[in-house]
Amino acid sequence: MSNELVEAVWTLKIGEKAETFKLGKIKEVAKKAFSDESDSYKQKLIFALLEATQSKDQNRFFYLLLHAINKPKEKFKELCEELEKKYDILPEEAFIILAYSIIIGIMSTYRGEKYGERN
Amino acid sequence: MSKLEFTGNWFIDGGILGFVNLMEEVYDWNLEELQQKILKDDEKIYYGYFPFAYLYKWLLEKNKTEKSKLKPELIQKLKEEIENNKFSKEELFDFVWYNFICELFEDFFVEEKLKLLQQEELYNKIKKKFNYNNKNDFLTIGKLKKTNDDLKSFLKKEWKDFCKKQKLNKKNSIFFRIPIDSGFYKNFLFFNTSKGNLEQKKSFYNLISFNYKEEKILKIIDKTINKLLFSEEESPNINYTRFSSSILKNQIKYLFVYLICFKYSFKNYKNIGNIFFYSNDLNFCYNVNKKLKKYEEKIKNYKNENEIFKVTLDQLIDLIFEYKSSWFLENMYIISYYKLDNKSQQNVEYIGIPKLQASILLDDTLRNHINIYIQYKSKHFKGNKYIWILKEFIKGQPLTPIFLQHLKLVLANETQLQFSVFYCCLIEAVIKKLKEKKGIFSSDFFTQNYKEINKEIKTEFRTAYYYSTQETKRLIKDSKHREKIAYLLLNSLYMDDKSNFINILLKEINNPTININNGFLKWLLENIVENNISWKEYGLFITAGLVYKNV
């Protein structure tokens, strides 16, 4: 609607502490991290992640994700840092937004075919 | 006496408009003429023209005839007499009462009396009911009963004699009662069947002159005078009940004249009931309602009962453009009832058009898209399967459930998907977003220009429409498969399950061989994943895009 950047924010209160997560940012980070991986690998990963998200299984989702980024490579560093801040037992609603943000982030790195090359 | 003006109170204003309508119908004066006449000499209008017009109209409605058939020469004669002679107000009223009103009711009086006499049982009752003490006269009636014609001429002669003599005593007053009654006012003043001619005349005069000292009923404004108000006994703490109407006398000199005309501000439409478009301005209100009358004939031919609103709204918008102001639409009310009398009040509705809705309606494109009928019940449903979106929109009802049902029918191949559904979804989404901003007098209230909304809706529509039709078509090519996906998506919309919805969609488009538009993904993220307020509307938009065939 407006030109301002829309960003979902989740505030988590633990005792007196209140933490705010900017979930929109994680999409960009995920995008950066997975930009060089091969398409078919990402496709498989996304399917698995989607399955986990559908059953709202946080354990499975993070297991898959962490498994995928468990490599000593520079590009995963930022995503790890971001997850370090955000990983927790999240409320369901927050988890879903976080999960889809990451999935969409990965999905938007598909290189695909150029238009017209293949049906 | 100043000219007629609205007071800001809708049932008094309704009465004023009813008064104007009444005078127009009987004497063919438009509002301007009437205003001038009132400025010139208000007593002539209220004590001379009004009582005749009121009873004339009553008789018209009772007999269900047209004006040309009911002694039209009397009206002309009345105009001449009143303009050429000078009377005081009492004299004027008496003059009109005996010479015109009584003459008007001659035939009706005879008819009514005959009706009573034709029934044997009633004949005996009449003896008791009418204290007609002159035994000779009564005997004559008894003899004449055998031949109807003789009786008719006898009654006519009696009535004419009475009109000429203009003298009645209390005893025979009730025999010469003007036979009027009303389902709406029941026993109000001169409608009361126990009142004789003399009392009728007196109470009518008191009503016009607002003489609450003699007629105690004029002291209160409650259910007796208008069925939409409360009764005094039932709700003593409601305004307008237990306070004396005498306070109003200084401001509105002929208050009760207007109040008893309340009914005439409504126009009856077949199948729908009685409708009155109310706005705070007399001129505007008069023009709108007059224009609607012109369209009455046109509306009558329509089969669909809801069509009236379709026609009227176009008329309204035309008028508003003439007045060049959106203010009128924002302050417009539609008051309608199906049946209103002493016992029952059926389907009374008071619909206002909220400011937000009004600003959307003022836009031609958007109005055309909202102004649609869609099927929302299956073909097996008995009753009205179609719904008029605009009416629901004005009422402020949520539209999304209707579209969900519509889409379900589209998938079952029962109906065609209408293009306007896309627009309506977006409008609904925008309204939801606005409503979410809390507080009436938040900063948005002052800064947000509602006119900007129309622009926003239109710009957003282009992207959304492109993504939901073209982009999804590129991603999911097979049309049958698309329908299957749409069905699944619709299910999750019904379940109100955002997670499921996005999951199904992402699984389908998770295909690295096709270059996914990043804008589309971003749009999905912003409008569905992160959007808790109006994701359903956008979801509906995409689902509709999947099955829309004319792309």
Side-chain angles (χ1 to χ4, degrees):
Chain A
M1 292 304 305
S2 56
N3 293 326
E4 294 164 33
L5 189 68
V6 183
E7 271 192 5
V9 169
W10 192 265
T11 317
L12 196 66
K13 276 193 175 176
I14 306 160
E16 288 177 359
K17 278 184 188 174
E19 275 189 73
T20 10
F21 300 146
K22 278 190 180 173
L23 295 172
K25 202 188 165 191
I26 203 150
K27 184 197 141 201
E28 296 302 316
V29 179
K31 201 173 159 183
K32 257 186 216 169
F34 284 91
S35 56
D36 294 339
E37 303 293 317
S38 84
D39 276 354
S40 55
Y41 165 68
K42 279 186 284 193
Q43 194 184 6
K44 272 176 208 159
L45 179 65
I46 286 174
F47 263 124
L49 290 178
L50 279 172
E51 285 295 337
T53 324
Q54 192 171 31
S55 51
K56 284 160 196 160
D57 191 345
Q58 297 196 30
N59 281 338
R60 173 93 184 133
F61 181 86
F62 283 113
Y63 169 78
L64 285 167
L65 187 67
L66 295 173
H67 208 276
I69 62 173
N70 181 21
K71 285 159 201 167
K73 283 185 185 171
E74 183 65 24
K75 56 182 181 177
F76 290 123
K77 206 181 160 191
E78 211 176 333
L79 184 58
C80 288
E81 279 170 7
E82 199 63 30
L83 281 175
E84 193 189 341
K85 282 183 219 160
K86 286 179 186 153
Y87 176 64
D88 207 323
I89 302 298
L90 292 171
E92 204 171 85
E93 262 180 82
F95 164 70
I96 283 165
I97 296 175
L98 178 82
Y100 286 124
S101 298
I102 292 171
I103 291 170
I104 286 178
I106 303 172
M107 206 184 249
S108 59
T109 57
Y110 283 151
R111 273 157 295 183
E113 303 285 327
K114 278 178 189 172
Y115 292 97
E117 272 184 15
R118 204 171 134 189
N119 280 337
Chain B
M1 177 71 189
S2 59
K3 59 180 185 177
L4 283 175
E5 255 171 40
F6 269 5
T7 58
N9 187 317
W10 75 268
F11 65 86
I12 298 176
D13 292 353
I16 292 175
L17 188 77
F19 173 71
V20 176
N21 283 346
L22 175 72
M23 295 313 246
E24 186 174 19
E25 192 179 338
V26 179
Y27 301 111
D28 292 328
W29 297 331
N30 61 26
L31 180 63
E32 219 168 282
E33 278 174 278
L34 184 67
Q35 296 275 35
Q36 278 169 5
K37 277 182 205 280
I38 288 173
L39 277 179
K40 209 172 139 195
D41 193 349
D42 60 317
E43 280 179 5
K44 266 184 189 170
I45 297 287
Y46 290 101
Y47 291 94
Y49 288 113
F50 169 70
F52 179 77
Y54 191 76
L55 294 176
Y56 189 86
K57 170 82 182 163
W58 185 89
L59 208 56
L60 277 182
E61 278 187 351
K62 184 84 185 171
N63 291 347
K64 288 172 187 160
T65 48
E66 283 164 20
K67 208 173 122 189
S68 54
K69 285 176 190 164
L70 193 79
K71 296 186 181 178
E73 73 280 353
L74 267 182
I75 297 170
Q76 199 52 40
K77 211 173 133 195
L78 178 79
K79 277 185 189 171
E80 281 166 19
E81 292 282 345
I82 291 181
E83 294 305 324
N84 297 334
N85 295 313
K86 274 199 170 181
F87 299 100
S88 74
K89 56 186 183 183
E90 286 97 348
E91 283 168 357
L92 178 64
F93 186 78
D94 280 8
F95 174 74
V96 173
W97 184 267
Y98 286 117
N99 292 307
F100 291 94
I101 293 173
C102 287
E103 201 180 329
L104 179 70
F105 275 87
E106 185 189 301
D107 293 342
F108 193 62
F109 169 77
V110 175
E111 261 175 48
E112 287 292 299
K113 289 280 180 244
L114 280 179
K115 256 186 215 166
L116 291 171
L117 288 169
Q118 269 158 5
Q119 291 161 329
E120 193 65 35
E121 294 167 19
L122 280 172
Y123 176 65
N124 291 327
K125 276 188 191 170
I126 287 164
K127 273 187 193 169
K128 291 172 195 167
K129 198 174 179 185
F130 300 118
N131 299 323
Y132 204 54
N133 270 359
N134 192 336
K135 277 178 188 169
N136 287 333
D137 279 355
F138 206 78
L139 280 173
T140 348
I141 295 172
K143 280 172 193 167
L144 286 171
K145 191 179 145 270
K146 289 164 194 166
T147 45
N148 223 345
D149 286 345
D150 286 350
L151 186 57
K152 221 178 203 174
S153 57
F154 167 77
L155 284 168
K156 255 187 189 173
K157 197 172 154 270
E158 284 281 290
W159 185 260
K160 267 187 182 152
D161 281 351
F162 143 73
C163 288
K164 264 184 195 169
K165 282 178 198 162
Q166 301 181 3
K167 269 177 192 172
L168 284 172
N169 52 31
K170 275 184 185 173
K171 281 167 189 167
N172 58 10
S173 156
I174 196 127
F175 181 77
F176 291 109
R177 179 181 184 275
I178 290 180
I180 49 174
D181 53 33
S182 163
F184 193 82
Y185 294 110
K186 219 61 198 169
N187 287 333
F188 184 70
L189 293 177
F190 45 87
F191 288 115
N192 196 329
T193 39
S194 66
K195 287 202 171 172
N197 195 309
L198 274 177
E199 288 93 347
Q200 279 183 313
K201 183 166 80 76
K202 205 176 166 193
S203 59
F204 206 147
Y205 182 80
N206 284 335
L207 177 126
I208 296 171
S209 59
F210 203 162
N211 191 350
Y212 52 84
K213 278 169 195 159
E214 278 195 36
E215 297 289 350
K216 292 217 166 100
I217 202 164
L218 298 182
K219 263 192 180 172
I220 42 168
I221 303 173
D222 74 344
K223 210 178 171 184
T224 0
I225 193 78
N226 189 329
K227 296 294 166 248
L228 297 175
L229 294 178
F230 296 94
S231 147
E232 192 198 25
E233 289 137 25
E234 281 167 20
S235 336
N237 57 345
I238 302 272
N239 284 351
Y240 286 110
T241 51
R242 197 156 283 187
F243 91 104
S244 172
S245 64
S246 55
I247 308 159
L248 290 170
K249 195 181 176 178
N250 294 331
Q251 290 151 20
I252 310 162
K253 207 172 160 189
Y254 301 102
L255 177 66
F256 276 86
V257 169
Y258 306 137
L259 287 179
I260 60 166
C261 287
F262 177 74
K263 249 174 83 177
Y264 302 131
S265 60
F266 287 82
K267 185 87 204 135
N268 189 287
Y269 297 96
K270 211 179 165 188
N271 292 336
I272 309 169
N274 303 281
I275 287 170
F276 160 46
F277 283 84
Y278 172 61
S279 172
N280 284 340
D281 183 81
L282 175 60
N283 274 321
F284 181 74
C285 206
Y286 169 77
N287 283 329
V288 170
N289 284 284
K290 198 177 176 186
K291 246 190 170 175
L292 292 183
K293 266 182 216 163
K294 282 184 192 166
Y295 275 82
E296 202 198 347
E297 284 304 313
K298 207 178 162 188
I299 293 161
K300 265 183 189 168
N301 298 331
Y302 288 139
K303 280 175 190 168
N304 198 326
E305 54 187 64
N306 283 328
E307 205 79 3
I308 178 206
F309 284 103
K310 212 171 180 178
V311 177
T312 48
L313 214 93
D314 285 345
Q315 296 313 306
L316 272 180
I317 306 284
D318 281 356
L319 261 184
I320 286 156
F321 276 108
E322 269 171 45
Y323 278 72
K324 285 181 183 160
S325 163
S326 61
W327 183 86
F328 287 107
L329 189 60
E330 287 161 16
N331 292 283
M332 187 98 203
Y333 298 92
I334 304 167
I335 301 156
S336 69
Y337 68 86
Y338 190 72
K339 197 181 168 195
L340 203 60
D341 61 25
N342 208 23
K343 283 170 193 162
S344 61
Q345 297 157 18
Q346 266 182 32
N347 287 353
V348 181
E349 274 188 301
Y350 187 87
I351 310 168
I353 304 176
K355 197 179 170 190
L356 175 65
Q357 268 83 342
S359 65
I360 287 172
L361 285 184
L362 277 177
D363 189 284
D364 279 341
T365 331
L366 296 182
R367 189 176 70 249
N368 284 338
H369 284 300
I370 300 174
N371 205 352
I372 50 163
Y373 282 89
I374 62 169
Q375 191 182 340
Y376 79 120
K377 290 267 158 95
S378 84
K379 58 187 172 188
H380 305 296
F381 180 74
K382 284 169 195 169
N384 198 1
K385 291 167 207 146
Y386 293 86
I387 195 164
W388 188 39
I389 299 297
L390 185 69
K391 197 179 167 193
E392 302 298 307
F393 178 71
I394 289 176
K395 281 185 190 169
Q397 306 278 16
L399 303 178
T400 322
I402 300 166
F403 294 136
L404 279 176
Q405 274 170 319
H406 177 65
L407 211 57
K408 198 176 161 192
L409 291 178
V410 171
L411 285 170
N413 274 334
E414 270 195 40
T415 177
Q416 289 273 323
L417 182 69
Q418 296 212 27
F419 175 72
S420 305
V421 170
F422 290 108
Y423 258 109
C424 294
C425 282
L426 263 193
I427 291 168
E428 183 80 355
V430 169
I431 288 177
K432 265 194 177 174
K433 267 184 202 171
L434 276 178
K435 273 184 186 166
E436 195 61 22
K437 289 172 183 167
K438 279 165 196 163
I440 307 170
F441 296 113
S442 62
S443 60
D444 285 337
F445 181 81
F446 299 103
T447 52
Q448 182 102 32
N449 190 351
Y450 279 141
K451 275 173 192 160
E452 296 261 306
I453 289 171
N454 297 341
K455 233 188 211 171
E456 277 180 31
I457 291 173
K458 282 179 191 167
T459 32
E460 197 174 337
F461 178 77
R462 273 176 223 144
T463 36
Y465 184 67
Y466 172 76
Y467 288 145
S468 71
T469 55
Q470 304 285 0
E471 188 68 20
T472 51
K473 203 182 177 187
R474 200 171 66 80
L475 294 170
I476 309 164
K477 287 204 172 62
D478 182 29
S479 70
K480 274 194 178 167
H481 189 58
R482 271 211 309 276
E483 265 179 39
K484 196 183 144 199
I485 303 299
Y487 198 77
L488 290 174
L489 292 180
L490 191 66
N491 259 351
S492 55
L493 280 177
Y494 262 112
M495 309 270 276
D496 211 354
D497 192 345
K498 188 168 85 175
S499 164
N500 201 22
F501 181 89
I502 194 85
N503 213 304
I504 293 163
L505 193 66
L506 286 183
K507 263 183 198 167
E508 281 313 313
I509 63 174
N510 180 21
N511 184 357
T513 53
I514 299 168
N515 199 357
I516 304 169
N517 191 337
N518 268 343
F520 177 52
L521 287 175
K522 202 183 162 202
W523 185 82
L524 273 184
L525 193 71
E526 276 178 10
N527 290 314
I528 297 182
V529 178
E530 293 180 350
N531 182 352
N532 277 333
I533 305 156
S534 54
W535 73 271
K536 238 179 159 179
E537 280 70 30
Y538 287 100
L540 199 61
F541 202 103
I542 288 188
T543 320
L546 281 170
V547 287
Y548 192 56
K549 278 165 189 158
N550 305 350
V551 187

